[in-house]
């Protein structure tokens, strides 16, 4: 069966610091991968998606970036965090069927 | 701009009653429709998906789709306090299995 991992689970970072969140999927090959952000009381905002290694599409221009160095690894990064980057970051995967399955998420607080 | 609209709630129903959650979408070309449940502080989990007009039942849950009216709903029979959560409607946007999410309806099942 497929499993998706995200770490860290929680993170508190000062404004201007860098960020690296990691997501890995087990039990499937060549998944589509997604990064979402959910601000407090808000809906899910798609940030990036990837259909293969090194293939990244950005949905919302901002100070975040994503990379997919391996088939089942998806990384979300920032060089300098803003207060507005606080939120619940969710990684998801799907295969040829469009159902998406979410990881446990990372709660980021930028102070 | 493809949109998915949900009433934010809270929708309050007594234990044992039927909860009816509704969702409308703007893209007539949408083909796949999903309901996710999200407990407070947790990531969304898939409840059901539906592709064809009509009803689809899974245990206490029934998804209803009406493409002509661009309307999808979720019925929860014999509501339990454990059903108290936010329910997210999602619609396939046709590219790389991208989903557009509504902001969710908060359901409260009272004793």
């Amino acid at each position: 069966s497929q499993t998706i991992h995200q770490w860290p689970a929680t993170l508190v970072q000062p404004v201007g610091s860098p960020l690296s969140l990691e997501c890995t999927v087990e039990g499937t090959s060549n998944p589509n991968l997604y990064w979402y952000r959910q601000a407090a009381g808000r809906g899910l905002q798609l940030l990036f998606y990837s259909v293969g290694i090194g293939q990244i599409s950005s949905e919302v221009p901002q100070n975040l970036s994503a990379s997919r160095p391996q088939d089942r690894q998806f990384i979300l990064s920032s060089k300098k965090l803003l207060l507005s980057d606080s939120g619940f970051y969710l990684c998801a995967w799907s295969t040829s069927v469009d159902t998406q399955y979410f990881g446990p998420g990372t709660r980021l607080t930028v102070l | 701009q493809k949109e998915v609209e949900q009433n934010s709630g809270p929708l309050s129903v007594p234990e044992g009653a039927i909860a009816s959650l509704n969702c409308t979408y703007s893209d007539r070309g949408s083909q796949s429709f999903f309901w996710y449940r999200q407990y407070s502080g947790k990531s969304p989990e898939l409840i059901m998906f539906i592709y064809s007009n009509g009803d689809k039942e899974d245990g206490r849950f029934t998804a209803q789709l009406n493409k002509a009216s661009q309307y999808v709903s979720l019925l929860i029979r014999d509501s339990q306090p454990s059903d108290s959560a936010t329910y997210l409607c999602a619609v396939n946007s046709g590219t790389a299995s991208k989903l557009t999410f509504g902001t969710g309806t908060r359901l409260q099942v009272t004793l």
Side-chain angles (χ1 to χ4, degrees), chain B residues 66-105:
Chain B
N66 184 326
K67 290 186 178 180
S69 300
Q70 295 175 247
Y71 177 95
V72 58
S73 64
L74 179 70
L75 301 179
I76 306 175
R77 290 182 299 280
D78 188 23
S79 295
Q80 301 297 311
S82 59
D83 295 326
S84 297
T86 296
Y87 289 80
L88 303 173
C89 173
V91 176
N92 174 255
S93 304
T95 305
S97 303
K98 288 167 52 180
L99 298 180
T100 301
F101 284 83
T103 54
T105 298

Side-chain angles (χ1 to χ4, degrees), chain A residues 6-111:
Chain A
Q6 284 187 249
W7 63 91
T10 60
L11 191 59
V12 180
Q13 292 285 95
V15 170
S17 64
L19 173 74
S20 181
L21 302 180
E22 190 165 342
C23 168
T24 59
V25 181
E26 297 176 354
T28 186
S29 297
N30 196 29
N32 295 332
L33 296 172
Y34 310 84
W35 277 113
Y36 290 88
R37 178 171 60 203
Q38 188 175 37
R42 304 280 298 275
L44 288 168
Q45 179 186 32
L46 179 62
L47 302 175
F48 301 94
Y49 69 93
S50 171
V51 298
I53 295 174
Q55 302 178 61
I56 308 295
S57 296
S58 174
E59 289 295 297
V60 182
Q62 52 203 316
N63 68 319
L64 299 172
S65 62
S67 62
R68 184 171 177 174
Q70 299 181 44
D71 180 44
R72 289 169 286 180
Q73 184 185 31
F74 206 21
I75 297 172
L76 183 69
S77 304
S78 174
K79 293 181 179 179
K80 288 186 177 182
L81 284 169
L82 307 173
L83 286 174
S84 57
D85 291 324
S86 292
F88 192 33
Y89 286 81
L90 292 156
C91 182
W93 70 274
S94 71
T95 57
S96 56
V97 181
D98 48 17
T99 307
Q100 292 186 19
Y101 299 92
F102 288 87
T106 295
R107 191 161 303 280
L108 171 66
T109 303
V110 182
L111 301 174

